[in-house]
Every structure is written in C-alpha cells, then in structure tokens.
Amino acid sequence: MDSGNIAWILASSALVCLMVPALALFYGGMVGSRRILNMMMMCIGGASLVAVLWALFGYSVAFGNSVAGLGLIGNVTEYMGLTQLLAEDPGASLPGALFAAFQLFFACVTTALVAGAAAGRMKFGAWMLFAGLWASLVYFPVAHWVFAFTSADGSVAGGWIASGIKAIDFAGGTAVHINAGVAALALALVLGRSTGWPKTQHTKPHSRPLVLVGAGLLWVGWFGFNAGSALTAGHAAAVVFLNTAVAAAAGLLAWALVERLRLGAASSMGAASGLIAALVAITPACGAVSPPGALAIGAIAGAVCSLAIEWKYRLGFDDSLDVVGVHLVGGLIGTLLIGLFATDAAPNGVSGLFYGGGFGQLGIQAVASAAVLAYSFAMTWVIAKVIDKAMGLRIDPADELRGIDLAAHAEFAYLSDEEPVDLGAPRRA
C-alpha cells in the first residue's frame, strides 16, 4: 500500500464528511428562520442513521460479492458489521476500512440531499424512518450497480452498470444525484404541497449568507468527493480536481448570466445554485472529459438548471429547495453529456460522439440513467406511501404555519429577549 494514496483518501473522506454540515448550512439558509433547525437536523440526523446502517449491513449490500453474479445486490452477510475489515490485506491498494469509510459519506450525503424536498412540513420521526428505509432499499443497491466493479481475476462480481454495460459514472451522477433528485420528486408528490403553496411561501430564504457559506464549503468538499474517487493520489486525481474546479466556476457564471438576461439581476442565491448545479453535472464526467469539456458541461448545467427550477410551478409539485431542478436535471445533464464530450485522452479513456466515438457511449449512459431513475422513483414512492399510511408524513398544519422547529425540537434557532415563547409542552412532529 502506498502511504501517499492512503493519506489522500483519508483527507478526501474528511472532505466528503464536511459536505454533510455544509449541506445543512446550504439548505438551512434557504428555509425560514423557524425551520432552519429542523432542516439541519434532517440532514445531520438522517446522515447519522445511514452511517450506522452502513456499518451494520449497507457496505456489504453495496460492495459485497454480487448475489448470483446478477449485479443487482451484494451479499448482505459478507461484510456485516465490518469486522472483516480489521485484518490487513497485503494485496489491496487501500485498507478496506478506509474505502468503507470513504464510501460511507457518499451514502450519508445522498440521503441528506433528499431532505430538501420536504422542508418545513414532514414529521421528523417520519423523516428518520424514511431515511433509513430509503438508504437500505434504494441507495445501497444502486451503489452496488454503479460503484461495485468486478475484480481483475473475476473472483468478485460487481454491479450490472459498472461491470455489465460499463457506463461511466466517476463519482455518482447516477447513484447520488439522479437517485436523490428523483427520490425527492417522489417524496414531494406523496407528501403534498406546503399550506398555501405556491402563493404563500413558508420556506423563503432567511439567510442568504448561510447559503453562500454552505455552497462554498460544498465546493471544497466536492474535491474530495470527485478527486478522491480516483482512489490514488496520482494523475487521474489531478485531472479530476481541475475539471471539478473549472466546471463549478462555469456553472456559477452561466446561471448568473441567465438570471441577468431574464430577470435583470444576478442574485446570490442564483450564484450558489449555479455552482452546485455544475458540481452535480461534472460529478459523473470529471474523469471522462477535458477541461474545455468540463467548462461546457458546467455552463450547460448552470443555464439549464436555472430554467428547470421553475418547472415545479408549471407541473404543480412542491420541491421546496429545488432538489429536482438541480440534482435530478444536473445529474442527467452530466451523465448524458459524457456520451458527447468524453475523450480517450482523459483518465476514463473513452471517446464520445464529439471525439469520434459514435453514439454507443451515449446509449449506455442513457440506459444507466433511465434504470436508476425508474427504480428510485418507484421504490421511494412505495416507501413514502407506506410510512404515510402507518404514521403520517405531515406535521400539524398549525405547526407548519408557525414553523416546525418548536414542534419537532422544542427550540428556535433565533430568539430575542423581547420574544418570549412557552416551551412547556410542544407537540412533537
């Protein structure tokens, strides 16, 4: 094992971990002042539960030997409890425990992303149950499809997307962003609209500085997310790092330009959203394209996602924090554009249409995207429906109007001396 590689993945794991509180700040700033604690708790609480499930059986489902070689799910008992990773494997390039920790935070961040669609109106207990079931039944199997590769000697069978059709997804355009984005759509549809939506907006941003701070920290964390997925501290990680940096900047500028042309001003919220949309789009493509390709993908994502966030008003679904418009649409853009912009000079070594590769890779990318989208939507819909029937998803309408923080957590984020509040017996959400 190379100590430099180990050090880089240790650092990358910490960077991906940073994305959980960064997302909590990003989402927290986007909601009302009496909803911020609940939003942040949904991110951090859901991520904590997923981390426990990952240690118990999630890693095994995602990276265990594929059951019957079908590429659908890993052997749930192979790494149960992760005690098998205590012994050092002299033939491995990284310690198994380190790879498990790195991938643990991918599961945590992906689940937390879904929370943005339910801001301010979902019972905290129902969310925690949903997060656990969703990670177990949706994320862990899909991670096996996309991230588990068949070993070089064929002794360990991987997922059908990674090793079967060989779709390119360097760091999670399908497993993370399309998966979370379409799950957010399904949850929003089952949960229903906020009271008075769209005329009355109870989740207007209360702190744009928090949104910008969260977005900036996410950008930093994304270098671990993407470049860490090279799993070595070498040339591939350097190319991915560069592509991630320039794509994000292009997305911010593209979103700001579209806003300026359409609305007359480039907003701070738009800048933060454009940054994230481009990071979403470059995630699957960061190892497949050149820097000019990364700039193109980032700019396209920033421009298209700035328009896509308005679809919820036309189609009538209340996706509170635009998870669908940014993560689903951005994930699809990045995953599909690999089929156009991929170059065999990049670390993935595959050419897309614009580099003489034909339409073949584009078709493969489309199949992978469609499969994850269909499975995640259907399973999320079922999970949300079952929880709704069993315990109800929505908080009391009165608590929704006055802000969920008091009902769910018996506290407010901001409370002045001139604003006394009775915390005696809050209704629990």
Side-chain angles (χ1 to χ4, degrees):
M1 296 184 188
D2 184 273
S3 60
N5 292 338
I6 294 174
W8 168 236
I9 305 307
L10 284 168
S12 295
S13 300
L15 288 172
V16 182
C17 178
L18 174 66
M19 295 177 74
V20 176
L23 182 67
L25 289 171
F26 181 70
Y27 277 174
M30 294 174 71
V31 300
S33 62
R34 296 196 175 191
R35 294 162 181 83
I36 178 177
L37 294 180
N38 179 252
M39 189 71 260
M40 297 182 79
M41 283 290 290
M42 289 176 78
C43 292
I44 297 173
S48 298
L49 175 60
V50 171
V52 171
L53 298 178
W54 184 259
L56 294 176
F57 61 86
Y59 177 75
S60 198
V61 171
F63 290 100
N65 193 14
S66 189
V67 175
L70 297 176
L72 297 177
I73 190 171
N75 182 351
V76 70
T77 62
E78 187 171 350
Y79 297 106
M80 187 171 286
L82 301 183
T83 55
Q84 299 85 343
L85 303 182
L86 294 177
E88 183 174 355
D89 181 359
S93 58
L94 286 174
L98 176 55
F99 180 74
F102 179 62
Q103 285 291 333
L104 176 152
F105 294 117
F106 278 63
C108 294
V109 170
T110 306
T111 305
L113 287 174
V114 184
R121 66 190 191 279
M122 186 173 183
K123 294 177 181 178
F124 185 66
W127 161 252
M128 291 296 288
L129 178 58
F130 172 88
L133 290 174
W134 188 84
S136 300
L137 300 176
V138 181
Y139 180 79
F140 298 161
V142 172
H144 181 75
W145 299 0
V146 176
F147 293 143
F149 290 87
T150 298
S151 61
D153 60 5
S155 60
V156 178
W160 72 272
I161 288 178
S163 299
I165 65 173
K166 293 182 169 54
I168 295 174
D169 187 351
F170 198 87
T174 52
V176 176
H177 298 293
I178 293 175
N179 196 5
V182 77
L185 175 60
L187 178 60
L189 291 174
V190 176
L191 189 59
R193 304 174 181 180
S194 300
T195 303
W197 187 91
K199 292 183 179 180
T200 303
Q201 295 281 355
H202 303 300
T203 56
K204 287 184 178 180
H206 84 283
S207 177
R208 286 167 174 80
L210 276 186
V211 174
L212 289 170
V213 169
L217 291 174
L218 283 169
W219 193 1
V220 173
W222 230 290
F223 290 117
F225 199 86
N226 285 1
S229 293
L231 300 180
T232 61
H235 175 73
V239 172
V240 168
F241 199 106
L242 175 62
N243 283 341
T244 301
V246 299
L252 185 153
L253 295 175
W255 190 304
L257 177 60
V258 171
E259 270 196 333
R260 180 68 176 83
L261 294 174
R262 294 181 66 239
L263 306 175
S267 69
S268 61
M269 288 286 292
S273 299
L275 180 77
I276 301 304
L279 287 167
V280 167
I282 200 59
T283 293
C286 54
V289 301
S290 64
L295 287 170
I297 289 173
I300 292 169
V304 173
C305 290
S306 70
L307 304 174
I309 61 171
E310 298 182 4
W311 296 350
K312 64 183 181 182
Y313 299 110
R314 298 181 183 181
L315 299 177
F317 62 90
D318 183 7
D319 172 21
S320 303
L321 305 185
D322 298 316
V323 186
V324 177
V326 172
H327 292 275
L328 174 56
V329 175
L332 285 169
I333 288 171
T335 302
L336 295 176
L337 288 184
I338 290 171
L340 303 181
F341 289 102
T343 170
D344 59 5
N348 281 126
V350 174
S351 292
L353 179 64
F354 295 164
Y355 290 83
F359 288 97
Q361 193 64 44
L362 179 60
I364 292 171
Q365 300 301 118
V367 170
S369 299
V372 172
L373 191 153
Y375 177 78
S376 181
F377 182 86
M379 286 299 298
T380 305
W381 178 279
V382 171
I383 292 168
K385 278 289 188 183
V386 169
I387 295 174
D388 193 29
K389 294 293 184 182
M391 62 183 296
L393 292 174
R394 294 289 291 264
I395 63 171
D396 185 274
D399 292 327
E400 182 181 345
L401 290 173
R402 69 173 179 166
I404 192 175
D405 285 357
L406 183 61
H409 309 291
E411 54 189 351
F412 284 135
Y414 313 106
L415 184 63
S416 68
D417 293 336
E418 293 78 24
E419 188 181 12
V421 174
D422 181 10
L423 301 180
R427 289 188 294 273
R428 295 291 177 180

